[in-house]
């Protein structure tokens, strides 16, 4: 075959897609050589046809777009859509949508793949113009039908998506399942099973932001211990998606230095062919009860839930005996309505009424070493009566301007009324049990009358836009903050007939505080960010399928955040950037890099500065306090693999946080007290490891390991941060009895380093000691007593689960704070405040 015929036949190095059509090839080969006899004429023809074909080839491209879903028509995000023969690859958006430009040919083979699903291919014949595909991916037959593979999906940003299904299997002590699941994640720590608060990578409790449906939510201000904590504003029965970041998070999340938790509530839809849909659950245990009802039709989704909690049963196992009467009640509703196409109205309402009443009687604590055991006995008189009542509401109106552009206006309000009041007198004896020597005897009296009202209103305008490779978002928020505080606290100590501190002349309290403050301020916030997904490299169109390789996938998120607070007249600017890389040489690997400037914008607690006059400490608001600052440097990787036919994911992340303009603080139980001035600097660095997967077929489990080092430099001295937890290991494991799936077991293990402590009012000196390590094991057994075999087409009884949890399985006495006893010689003794002991909780849950 001569050169002319080889070219038009599509053989050799020169390949023109236009000549791949058999009818065109036959016409040219059969007719044109007869018309052109000379070699010159043939080369002229070749040039003309080559030029025409190149133009036609450029014009013969088409657009392939569509949506990838699972069997339940839920979008499959981050699925790979590839045409290897042309070297084109893209990934689906969070809505499962994709779009790509391809060259037309006789046949184009498109592949759709996702970890945990069967790979699907589509053959397109002579595609032209715009082609739209609706692709359904089915789960891999090698996986059990109960497996949800969402956790196995690639994490290309700094936010990890946690599975709400795991919430249902956790043995719970607080009733706040979302926060308890966070406490088991790498880089997250807690030292009290009574509290739902958590520290992230050396940060304080106040350094974590929480969002529900794009609106920031707040906690009560005056809570000082886990016994007072009620139910979290996050209702686990209504949660659809949990996204959590331990650092390097996007600019759309607010001005906090440590972490962000993004909660999305679910919107119910009727099943195919049905006009309405109902679902409901009811549960009860020795620690509380709750009920949830959800209804939906084609335009409306309405969720309602009521919860009741009482930790009286748990508090009864503590060393301080008495009459505990905690009562926590919570009601929440979420209404989503689509009046017309592309318009949507969302309303969230929450009312929380929390009471904590306590009348102590006596306490006996033994502490020290095996060779030196001390005994602390106290007999009490008085009582405590606390109230924390909060209201939260949000209304959102959103409109889809186009298929890819959405605009929303969100208005929210938070109101809290808090009262902390107690008068408690204790007569104590401190003895050495070995020698029977009396080390101290005396009386103390504690008085508190703290009242606080806070009201935070916000208005937020947000716009989101998506294109083939970009996902952009901008937002503008205006907040109005108003807080009123009236506090009086004092503590009197008498040791062997002498008031402490003893001067011989004056009668002084060991501690006295007065505060009457009012905050009225406005805060404005703006952010803009973009997520750009692109590819580099990959094989070209001429590479045989057996030698073809995929390109490297990049996910680049970048943005800037700016805010201004008129109370201290401060404007802060926070640029942030992160990059996710899925390399071409191994599609099971993901590398992540992130950095950014993060601020902890001051709020009411950080503003309180103290000054002592004649033995009385007065707390005022310091207008000169500036935002604390942290620069994050994060490098991480994920590796997805299969072992014994089951999916696993290993995650490793190293971080370094450069801290400046810190406001020193102390932690007692869950109360954080700030010193009210930016006088410290420091750092936090560490390594977080996590292995997640099906340790047992069909059920997800994980184990985490964390190492951390923190330092704070203040007044020329270097010391660890109050939350310096040097190491931590957490395990969550789920199993079932052999031969049956009706019996399930869930195990939680926690082993974490103790926190540094020092004597009261000497916290800025070098911490003299650490508390013992926090060690705890909770195990739960569940039995499926009933499951309906009928299809879920009507509202009827579906499942009944009964179970029992053994809390603190090994009956370990953990310490989360200390009570300090001072004798007349000014010698201080740290008496540990132990947490709860071993308990058994019974529970039942019914689903409809």
């Amino acid at each position: 075959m001569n050169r002319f015929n080889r070219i038009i036949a599509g053989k050799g190095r020169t390949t023109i897609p236009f000549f791949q059509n058999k009818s065109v090839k036959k016409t040219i080969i059969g007719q044109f050589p007869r018309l052109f006899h000379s070699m010159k004429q043939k080369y002229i023809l070749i040039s003309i046809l080559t030029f025409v074909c190149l133009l036609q080839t450029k014009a013969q491209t088409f657009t392939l777009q569509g949506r990838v879903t699972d069997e339940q028509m839920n979008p499959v995000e981050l699925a790979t859509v590839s045409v290897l023969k042309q070297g084109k690859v893209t990934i689906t958006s969070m809505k499962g949508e994709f779009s790509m430009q391809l060259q037309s040919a006789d046949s184009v083979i498109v592949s759709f793949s996702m970890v945990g699903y069967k790979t699907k291919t589509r053959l397109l014949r002579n595609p032209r113009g715009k082609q739209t595909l609706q692709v359904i991916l089915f789960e891999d037959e090698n996986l059990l039908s109960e497996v949800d593979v969402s956790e196995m999906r690639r994490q290309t940003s700094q936010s990890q998506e946690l599975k709400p299904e795991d919430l249902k299997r956790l043995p719970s002590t607080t009733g706040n399942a979302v926060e308890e699941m966070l406490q088991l994640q790498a880089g997250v720590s807690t030292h009290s099973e009574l509290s739902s608060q958590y520290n992230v990578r050396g940060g304080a409790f106040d350094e974590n932001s929480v969002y529900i449906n794009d609106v920031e939510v707040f906690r009560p201000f005056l809570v000082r211990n886990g016994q007072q904590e009620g139910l979290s504003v996050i209702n686990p029965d209504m949660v659809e998606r949990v996204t959590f970041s331990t650092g390097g998070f996007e600019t759309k999340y607010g001005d906090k230095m440590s972490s962000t938790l993004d909660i999305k509530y679910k919107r119910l839809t009727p099943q195919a062919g049905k006009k309405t849909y109902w679902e409901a659950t009811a549960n009860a245990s020795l620690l509380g009860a709750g009920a949830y009802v959800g209804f939906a039709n084609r335009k409306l989704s309405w969720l309602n839930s009521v919860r009741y909690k009482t930790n009286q049963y748990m508090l009864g196992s503590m060393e301080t005996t008495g009459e505990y009467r905690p009562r926590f009640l919570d009601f929440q509703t979420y209404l989503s309505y689509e009046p017309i196409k592309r318009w949507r109205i969302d309303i969230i309402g929450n009312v929380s009424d929390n009471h904590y009443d306590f009348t102590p009687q006596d306490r006996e604590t033994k502490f020290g070493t095996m060779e030196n055991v001390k005994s602390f006995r106290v007999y009490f008189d008085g009582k405590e009566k606390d109230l924390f009542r909060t209201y939260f509401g949000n209304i959102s109106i959103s409109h889809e301007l186009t298929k890819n552009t959405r605009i929303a206006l969100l208005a929210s309000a938070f109101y809290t009324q808090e009262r902390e009041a107690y008068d408690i007198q204790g007569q104590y004896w401190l003895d050495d049990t070995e020698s029977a020597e009396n080390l101290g005897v005396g009386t103390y009296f504690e008085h508190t009358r703290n009242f606080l009202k806070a009201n935070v209103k916000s208005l937020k305008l947000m716009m989101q836009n998506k294109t083939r490779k970009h996902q952009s978002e901008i937002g503008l928020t205006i907040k109005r903050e108003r807080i009123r505080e009236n506090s009086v606290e004092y503590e009197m100590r008498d040791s062997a007939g002498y008031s402490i501190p003893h001067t011989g002349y004056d009668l002084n309290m060991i501690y006295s505080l007065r505060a009457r403050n009012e905050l009225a301020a406005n805060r404005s916030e703006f952010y803009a960010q973009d997520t750009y997904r692109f590819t580099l490299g990959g094989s070209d169109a001429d590479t045989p399928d057996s030698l073809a390789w995929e390109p490297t996938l990049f996910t680049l998120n970048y943005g800037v955040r700016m805010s201004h607070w008129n109370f201290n007249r401060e404007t802060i600017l926070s640029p942030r950037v992160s990059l996710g890389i899925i390399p071409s040489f191994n599609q099971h690997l993901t590398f992540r890099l992130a950095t950014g400037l993060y601020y902890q914008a001051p709020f009411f607690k950080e503003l309180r500065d103290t000054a002592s006059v004649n033995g009385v400490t007065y707390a005022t608001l310091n207008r000169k306090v500036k935002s604390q600052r942290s620069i994050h440097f994060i490098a991480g990787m994920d590796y997805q693999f299969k072992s014994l036919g089951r999916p696993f994911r290993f995650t490793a992340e190293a971080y370094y946080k450069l801290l400046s303009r810190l406001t020193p603080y102390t932690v007692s139980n869950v109360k954080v007290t700030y010193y009210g001035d930016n006088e410290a600097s420091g750092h936090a660095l560490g390594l977080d490891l996590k292995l997640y997967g099906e340790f047992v077929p069909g059920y997800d489990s994980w184990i985490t390991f964390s190492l951390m080092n923190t330092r704070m430099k203040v007044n020329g001295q270097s010391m660890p941060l109050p939350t310096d937890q040097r190491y931590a290991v957490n395990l969550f494991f789920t199993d079932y009895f052999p031969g049956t799936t009706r019996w399930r077991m869930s195990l939680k293990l926690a082993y974490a380093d103790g926190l540094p402590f020092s004597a009261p009012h000497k916290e800025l000196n070098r911490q003299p000691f650490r508390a013992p390590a926090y060690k705890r094991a909770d195990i739960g057994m569940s039995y499926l007593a009933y499951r309906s075999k009928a299809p879920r087409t009507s509202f009827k009884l579906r499942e009944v689960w009964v179970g029992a949890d053994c809390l603190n399985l090994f009956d370990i006495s953990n310490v989360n704070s200390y009570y300090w006893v001072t004798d007349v010689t000014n010698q201080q003794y740290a008496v540990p405040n132990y947490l709860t002991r071993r308990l058994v909780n019974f529970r039942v849950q019914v689903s409809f």
Side-chain angles (χ1 to χ4, degrees), residues 58 64 68 159 161 208 224 248 270 272 433 453 467 494 507 517 551 632 665 682 706 729 806:
K58 185 176 180 179
L64 178 63
V68 180
S159 297
E161 187 173 331
N208 309 309
R224 68 172 62 204
T433 59
K453 292 182 179 180
T467 60
D494 183 282
L507 182 63
N517 296 304
H632 292 193
Y665 63 91
S706 299
V729 180
C806 185

Side-chain angles (χ1 to χ4, degrees), residues 221-265:
F221 293 84
L222 293 182
V223 173
R224 68 172 62 204
N225 58 57
Q227 294 93 307
Q228 298 171 317
E229 279 193 29
L231 291 159
S232 164
V233 68
I234 304 172
N235 191 313
D237 290 325
M238 303 168 68
V239 171
E240 179 181 49
R241 174 175 292 180
V242 180
T243 305
F244 182 61
S245 176
T246 53
F249 39 88
E250 303 168 5
T251 55
K252 67 178 180 180
Y253 299 119
D255 298 310
K256 301 287 186 179
M257 290 200 304
S258 291
S259 76
T260 179
L261 174 63
D262 191 356
I263 300 294
K264 291 292 189 298
Y265 279 174

